[in-house]
Amino acid sequence: MRRSLIGTAVLALCAGNAMAIEPFVIKDIRVEGIQRTEAGTVFSYLPVRVGETFNDDKSISAIKALYATGFFKDVRLEADGQVLVVLVEERPAISKVEFTGTKEFEKDVLVKALKDIGVGEAKIFDKASVDRAEQELKRQYLSRGLYGVKLVTTVTPLERNRVNITFAVDEGEIAKIKQINIIGNKVFSDKELREQLALNTGGWFSWYTKADQYSKTKLTGDIESLKSFYLNRGYIEMNIDSTQVSITPDKKDIYITINITEGEKYNVADIKFEGETFGREDELRSLVLLRKGSVYSGELLTATNKLISDRLGTFGYAFANVNANPDINQEKREVSFTFMIDPGKRAYVRHMNIAGNTTSRDEVIRREFRQFESSWYDANKIKLSRDRVDRLGYFKDVTIDTPEAQGTSDQVDVNLTVVEKPTGNFTIGGAFSQSEKFTFQAAIQQANFAGSGTTVGMELNTSKYSRTISFSQFDPYYTDDGISRSYEVYLRTQRPPALNIGSYTIKQKGGRISYGVPFSETDTVFLGIGLERSSIETDSTSPTRFQQYVTDVTGNPSGIGKAETNAVPLTLAWSRDSRDSGLTPSIGRYQRLNLELDVIGKQKYYRAIYEHQYYKPMIWKTVLALKGELDYGRGLGDTPYPVFKNFYGGGIGSVRGYESSSLGAVDSRYGDALGGAARVIGNAELQLPFPGSGKDRSLRWFGFLDAGQVYQEGEKLRYSQLRYSAGLGISWISPVGPLKLSYAKPLNAKPTDRLERFQFQMGSGF
């Protein structure tokens, strides 16, 4: 005969031992009522075992333990003789979670998010968890400005103790910011202050930025932006008194009111130092960006603190603490600062850790480090290490942090984290013009091949007019000392692209090898040698320039025939790269000087190329990018400059708005662009982050001004002959490869110039 223990158990839970259970020794335990849960699972949670004496305390513990699992909605204990019977009623299992009416969010995203909080397929149904899920869904919609959202949750019982959960959503309309009021401003206009806010009442890009949708996080950021705006202009006592956010009864319009007190404008009176300066006060003082008598700027003060901390970091003081204490004189409206310097203990690096490199080998990254383990901490070397890794171009993002090593007071770990990006690139370039319609070219290259840091490239073009087969390889660490090696072998054939401009054939085959020797962290000198055989074949319809070249080489006055030359070009080059990134630079310079000389072969010549890039960050996260290139070639002795070594201009990479390779002199018979022995190119870009992209530098739009021209051998480089263009463009390092679009307006085009206003270049990553 069974004895029910549930009554005494519940009573014991509520009122102690008011009714005692008659103790007995458990001979066996039996579980009844389970459908999905294994009996072993129940036994594992039970705090009692066979052979133990069952009493009030163990009855209470057993019920508490089984309820705590969340598996059961009812638990009863009975005694069948000396057998403890555990009777349970399981909670239903969730068979499926469904959504209806959702447009703002992807359903898969919602399913995953709810599963993380306990509501998902195969999870145990719990009403409290469903309520939390419902509130979380509403919160997500409110964060998107959908304040009129309505949510109905339906739980449908199914056979075998299962349920379906359906969230029926009526999203309503997105609430838009109708008005932003700023109260209390006297010095600056409402328009000036609203320009500092990320939130606004809508504009051309609102569909993308969603800046007209209220967000508490954005409003918090805007308040900080307002404070910074005033602090950077001397208003050290500026205060945000309050903010109010209200919504209309129909939940469609939002009104924001920000109440401020501007205070008075302050100038800097004096700068002092206290603490340990190691006798370098003059050096540290030179880092102070604030000047006596100048208007106070919070931005300059913060930058000064960082500069002093970084300088102390170069001496090994990784934990240096620099605080500027203000002394405000309200009568004179002046503020003095005392920089309190606490360098802390000198630190050294314990470990250099690398994370995120799923493809690149550790050694490819580690060999770029200039900070070493077990040496004194040096902030400059750590920054240089980060920049060198970023300049490799293998990663979308490179971050570095220096946490204090646990259990120590004078050691740090340097943790460098990278985000890999596809380093293979299949590139096509093209443009559209009325004369040529659509044109394109293609090449394939794999940087960081198999994670080794080696770049392998192959160009294969089977065009009827320009056939190319080439293979190249670049190993940046051919030796452990950082000497690089590159080589290329190629076979190129070129014919005219149309039948009405004459006939000719240019063939080039050969190879080259070059070694790069680093002389500093940013400077490398390259030495190389090549072997090349070139031939030009002409007939009576060939352009005059090619016929003249055949005459110069063979002595044949008709200029018809075949001219072959061998060349052994020697190369001497130098490069300096101080950019912060090889992919999306925002600061620094890049310079390259290359001299190619052939005094051995039949066709003696030299050609020099100088390129200079300069990047400077400007206001509002913009970057000024200036690029210039000057190229010059000439034949040596009585030999002319080889026509197949000509420079060309026009198109993306030189002067946008003009057809690719169309600038300079043209053939007198057919009007073909001939290229030239000299070239001048200049580009100025103002690069801006795309609205809503935040700190992501992979997507930018830019305005540009281009200038350039190509000159014949012996022709003076007259700047009056330069061609100019201006326009807008978009640059995107997309997940499938780089993409660049531009629309240019030629500013001084001549009637004979060939124009292409829209041009693009794109690649496919792999």
Side-chain angles (χ1 to χ4, degrees):
M1 177 180 178
R2 285 191 183 182
R3 291 172 294 155
S4 176
L5 305 178
I6 184 61
T8 57
V10 172
L11 194 58
L13 283 171
C14 300
N17 292 327
M19 293 183 64
I21 296 174
E22 183 178 347
F24 66 94
V25 177
I26 302 174
K27 297 295 185 182
D28 193 12
I29 300 175
R30 190 167 69 246
V31 180
E32 297 181 1
I34 55 175
Q35 299 180 37
R36 298 181 311 275
T37 309
E38 295 290 336
T41 301
V42 178
F43 292 144
S44 67
Y45 285 102
L46 271 177
V48 294
R49 298 290 182 268
V50 173
E52 296 180 358
T53 301
F54 190 77
N55 53 31
D56 288 341
D57 292 338
K58 291 186 177 180
S59 175
I60 295 172
S61 298
I63 292 176
K64 282 183 176 181
L66 293 179
Y67 269 118
T69 64
F71 299 156
F72 313 111
K73 66 179 180 180
D74 188 27
V75 177
R76 292 184 295 127
L77 301 178
E78 294 184 356
D80 186 4
Q82 290 184 300
V83 177
L84 177 63
V85 182
V86 181
L87 297 98
V88 297
E89 184 179 351
E90 292 178 323
R91 294 183 185 276
I94 299 174
S95 176
K96 187 183 295 185
V97 177
E98 297 177 315
F99 298 88
T100 61
T102 55
K103 300 176 183 177
E104 188 70 16
F105 298 96
E106 293 289 340
K107 292 183 179 180
D108 291 343
V109 174
L110 293 178
V111 168
K112 183 179 183 305
L114 295 191
K115 196 167 186 177
D116 292 340
I117 60 176
V119 178
E121 187 175 341
K123 296 279 187 179
I124 301 299
F125 172 75
D126 179 58
K127 183 62 168 62
S129 295
V130 173
D131 291 342
R132 286 196 302 272
E134 187 173 319
Q135 294 303 314
E136 175 62 19
L137 283 174
K138 289 182 179 179
R139 189 186 69 80
Q140 291 294 333
Y141 274 101
L142 293 179
S143 69
R144 297 285 183 96
L146 290 160
Y147 291 91
V149 64
K150 296 179 181 178
L151 189 62
V152 176
T153 304
T154 304
V155 179
T156 305
L158 301 175
E159 70 279 1
R160 300 195 304 276
N161 199 24
R162 297 175 303 146
V163 296
N164 276 353
I165 300 176
T166 303
F167 295 97
V169 182
D170 180 4
E171 295 182 338
E173 296 183 13
I174 297 177
K176 302 293 182 67
I177 298 174
K178 186 71 173 179
Q179 190 171 336
I180 299 177
N181 300 312
I182 301 176
I183 299 175
N185 54 308
K186 300 176 182 178
V187 180
F188 301 103
S189 67
D190 289 356
K191 181 180 179 182
E192 287 179 287
L193 297 182
R194 289 195 188 103
E195 288 176 350
Q196 312 309 313
L197 308 180
L199 295 173
N200 56 53
T201 55
W204 288 359
F205 290 102
S206 295
W207 61 271
Y208 181 79
T209 64
K210 301 188 183 337
D212 57 348
Q213 298 179 18
Y214 170 74
S215 164
K216 185 177 180 180
T217 303
K218 285 185 180 180
L219 181 59
T220 301
D222 283 345
I223 290 173
E224 293 302 317
S225 296
L226 275 181
K227 288 180 179 178
S228 297
F229 179 80
Y230 273 94
L231 288 175
N232 293 337
R233 288 156 180 78
Y235 294 87
I236 196 170
E237 295 179 320
M238 182 270 181
N239 185 55
I240 304 291
D241 299 323
S242 64
T243 58
Q244 292 92 35
V245 180
S246 59
I247 188 169
T248 55
D250 61 4
K251 297 184 178 181
K252 293 182 179 180
D253 297 325
I254 292 177
Y255 292 81
I256 299 174
T257 302
I258 304 174
N259 296 279
I260 67 173
T261 299
E262 291 180 323
E264 300 294 338
K265 189 176 183 178
Y266 283 79
N267 292 333
V268 178
D270 194 15
I271 301 291
K272 298 179 181 178
F273 284 87
E274 289 187 9
E276 181 59 73
T277 61
F278 304 102
R280 298 174 179 266
E281 183 172 329
D282 291 341
E283 181 181 348
L284 298 181
R285 188 176 291 275
S286 68
L287 301 175
V288 178
L289 302 178
L290 294 170
R291 297 288 180 262
K292 292 182 180 180
S294 64
V295 175
Y296 165 75
S297 169
E299 186 176 25
L300 294 181
L301 181 64
T302 301
T304 298
N305 283 339
K306 186 177 187 305
L307 286 173
I308 295 175
S309 296
D310 289 347
R311 181 59 59 88
L312 293 172
T314 62
F315 309 144
Y317 296 95
F319 310 117
N321 188 19
V322 180
N323 289 313
N325 296 331
D327 181 13
I328 299 175
N329 188 326
Q330 293 181 335
E331 292 182 2
K332 295 182 179 181
R333 295 178 185 173
E334 292 180 339
V335 57
S336 299
F337 290 96
T338 300
F339 286 90
M340 306 297 298
I341 299 177
D342 177 15
K345 290 184 178 181
R346 197 175 187 191
Y348 63 92
V349 174
R350 185 181 67 170
H351 297 307
M352 300 283 294
N353 303 313
I354 302 172
N357 54 319
T358 55
T359 300
S360 302
R361 302 171 189 172
D362 269 17
E363 64 174 319
V364 171
I365 300 172
R366 198 171 292 277
R367 65 194 181 191
E368 302 299 331
F369 287 173
R370 294 301 178 262
Q371 172 71 62
F372 301 108
E373 293 178 345
S374 301
S375 63
W376 292 116
Y377 173 96
D378 189 327
N380 282 348
K381 290 182 178 179
I382 291 175
K383 181 180 181 302
L384 179 60
S385 300
R386 192 217 76 86
D387 289 349
R388 288 182 64 90
V389 173
D390 200 353
R391 282 200 292 265
L392 291 174
Y394 305 156
F395 311 108
K396 288 191 293 186
D397 189 33
V398 180
T399 57
I400 201 165
D401 64 289
T402 55
E404 183 177 355
Q406 292 185 356
T408 69
S409 60
D410 61 349
Q411 298 181 48
V412 298
D413 289 332
V414 177
N415 300 326
L416 185 137
T417 304
V418 299
V419 179
E420 299 266 14
K421 76 177 185 70
T423 55
N425 197 44
F426 175 71
T427 304
I428 63 172
F432 182 84
S433 66
Q434 291 183 348
S435 60
E436 296 293 336
K437 300 305 180 185
F438 184 77
T439 61
F440 76 97
Q441 58 186 10
I444 188 171
Q445 186 181 73
Q446 173 71 66
N448 196 22
F449 182 76
S452 65
T454 300
T455 299
V456 178
M458 183 176 68
E459 184 179 356
L460 178 63
N461 192 334
T462 59
S463 167
K464 178 179 179 181
Y465 310 113
S466 180
R467 297 186 178 184
T468 300
I469 300 176
S470 70
F471 179 81
S472 61
Q473 185 189 52
F474 171 67
D475 185 354
Y477 279 83
Y478 179 66
T479 70
D480 293 338
D481 296 329
I483 295 177
S484 64
R485 184 190 71 176
S486 63
Y487 67 84
E488 179 187 19
V489 291
Y490 54 86
L491 172 63
R492 299 186 179 99
T493 302
Q494 181 180 344
R495 293 184 177 88
L499 296 177
N500 62 345
I501 64 172
S503 173
Y504 64 87
T505 301
I506 299 176
K507 292 183 178 181
Q508 292 177 285
K509 55 184 176 182
R512 61 173 182 82
I513 188 168
S514 176
Y515 294 89
V517 182
F519 279 80
S520 72
E521 295 296 344
T522 57
D523 294 87
T524 305
V525 172
F526 298 89
L527 300 169
I529 187 171
L531 180 63
E532 183 176 81
R533 182 173 181 82
S534 304
S535 69
I536 295 182
E537 190 172 353
T538 60
D539 58 27
S540 60
T541 65
S542 299
T544 305
R545 182 67 184 88
F546 294 103
Q547 291 182 353
Q548 181 61 46
Y549 179 79
V550 172
T551 298
D552 293 338
V553 173
T554 65
N556 182 353
S558 69
I560 299 174
K562 187 175 184 180
E564 294 184 330
T565 59
N566 294 320
V568 185
L570 306 174
T571 56
L572 175 64
W574 161 81
S575 72
R576 172 176 291 172
D577 192 352
S578 61
R579 298 172 298 175
D580 62 334
S581 172
L583 192 63
T584 54
S586 62
I587 189 172
R589 296 175 186 265
Y590 172 77
Q591 297 179 75
R592 177 175 65 97
L593 177 61
N594 186 87
L595 176 63
E596 182 179 317
L597 175 67
D598 181 19
V599 295
I600 301 176
K602 183 177 181 180
Q603 190 69 53
K604 299 176 176 61
Y605 70 94
Y606 73 87
R607 70 198 305 252
I609 299 173
Y610 175 68
E611 180 184 1
H612 193 152
Q613 302 178 13
Y614 172 74
Y615 301 89
K616 182 179 181 180
M618 309 291 283
I619 59 174
W620 300 321
K621 300 179 182 179
T622 62
V623 174
L624 176 64
L626 302 177
K627 303 177 184 179
E629 185 170 338
L630 177 61
D631 309 321
Y632 188 81
R634 197 166 183 93
L636 296 175
D638 297 330
T639 59
Y641 182 75
V643 66
F644 46 80
K645 294 289 184 178
N646 275 356
F647 300 100
Y648 292 87
I652 287 183
S654 57
V655 186
R656 286 160 282 201
Y658 297 85
E659 274 192 21
S660 178
S661 304
S662 68
L663 294 182
V666 297
D667 181 71
S668 58
R669 185 186 301 182
Y670 300 108
D672 253 6
L674 300 174
R679 176 175 64 178
V680 176
I681 299 294
N683 312 108
E685 287 187 0
L686 186 62
Q687 301 172 348
L688 300 93
F690 203 79
S693 62
K695 297 182 179 180
D696 182 10
R697 292 191 293 169
S698 65
L699 177 61
R700 292 179 293 183
W701 67 282
F702 54 87
F704 63 86
L705 175 65
D706 292 344
Q709 186 55 280
V710 176
Y711 302 88
Q712 294 298 299
E713 184 178 12
E715 183 182 359
K716 290 185 178 180
L717 277 63
R718 295 185 176 90
Y719 291 103
S720 60
Q721 296 180 359
L722 291 176
R723 295 293 188 269
Y724 298 92
S725 67
L728 298 172
I730 295 176
S731 176
W732 183 26
I733 310 298
S734 73
V736 296
L739 170 67
K740 200 165 191 177
L741 305 173
S742 68
Y743 182 84
K745 179 180 180 181
L747 301 179
N748 63 337
K750 305 300 181 184
T752 56
D753 290 336
R754 299 178 179 178
L755 308 182
E756 284 179 343
R757 297 182 183 273
F758 173 74
Q759 294 171 320
F760 75 91
Q761 189 177 65
M762 64 180 179
S764 177
F766 62 89

